[in-house]
Amino acid sequence: MDKLALLFLACVLAGFALIKLPLAGTALASIAPVTFYIGILSVLVFSLILIFKGILALIDK
């Protein structure tokens, strides 16, 4: 399996972790919206990259 695909999958999972990160009641509560939007952006970008690489793999066969 392509090592880059595993890296992109790990980035998608990290994005989901940022979306679900509980920061309420901590000193970092003020950056909670920032982590939420960074998580959404990383999930979208890396999911699109994985879909694109999958389509290219199907076309090549």
Side-chain angles (χ1 to χ4, degrees), residues 3-56:
K3 289 187 179 187
L4 276 178
L6 290 175
L7 178 66
F8 293 150
L9 181 63
C11 291
V12 170
L13 293 176
F16 279 119
L18 282 175
I19 291 171
K20 293 291 187 176
L21 188 65
L23 292 176
T26 66
L28 299 174
S30 63
I31 64 166
V34 175
T35 60
F36 180 75
Y37 290 119
I38 290 173
I40 288 176
L41 184 65
S42 68
V43 168
L44 287 175
V45 168
F46 290 110
S47 294
L48 289 174
I49 291 172
L50 280 173
I51 291 169
F52 181 71
K53 287 183 71 68
I55 291 171
L56 286 180

